[in-house]
Amino acid sequence: DEKEKFEPTVFRDTIVQGLNEAGNDLEAIAKFLDAAGSRLDYRRYADTLFDILVAGSMLAPGGTRIDDNDKTKMTSHCVFFADEDHDAIRNYAQVSTG
């Protein structure tokens, strides 16, 4: 039996790239996440996925982002960067619970 490697940074890079390519269109983001779910292991990387959808990148213990301000490792298509109104936050919640 060969164990599968746990590579959250590779997962992060794939998700962030897809979110950034989808642009500001929440429907395109939802479609990307739906399609990516068939080839990426969301259960295995649930914490990483949650960090990205809420904070825009992976988080270290204590809540600091692990991206070294590298724009290819972070996305602005997340709850933290959403407009501060009820509808915007609800739309992001609907995308992430899908």
Side-chain angles (χ1 to χ4, degrees):
D1 287 328
E2 189 175 318
K3 277 195 165 190
E4 189 176 337
K5 282 185 171 181
F6 182 69
E7 300 184 81
T9 55
V10 172
F11 177 84
R12 175 207 53 208
D13 294 346
T14 303
I15 295 294
V16 166
Q17 179 183 6
L19 293 177
N20 288 340
E21 288 174 359
N24 292 326
D25 181 1
L26 285 179
E27 189 172 323
I29 290 171
K31 286 180 183 178
F32 162 73
L33 291 171
D34 188 42
S38 65
R39 58 181 166 57
L40 298 175
D41 191 350
Y42 283 171
R43 285 183 184 209
R44 183 175 196 164
Y45 298 106
D47 291 339
T48 303
L49 180 62
F50 183 78
D51 289 352
I52 294 166
L53 294 176
V54 172
S57 189
M58 286 174 49
L59 298 177
T64 58
R65 289 192 342 211
I66 308 172
D67 55 38
D68 302 321
N69 289 320
D70 181 345
K71 300 293 183 196
T72 65
K73 297 178 181 179
M74 54 196 252
T75 185
S76 61
H77 308 298
C78 63
V79 173
F80 282 10
F81 289 100
D83 291 335
E84 294 184 26
D85 66 61
H86 181 74
D87 290 335
I89 301 301
R90 183 180 49 203
N91 289 337
Y92 272 95
Q94 288 174 341
V95 165
S96 61
T97 60

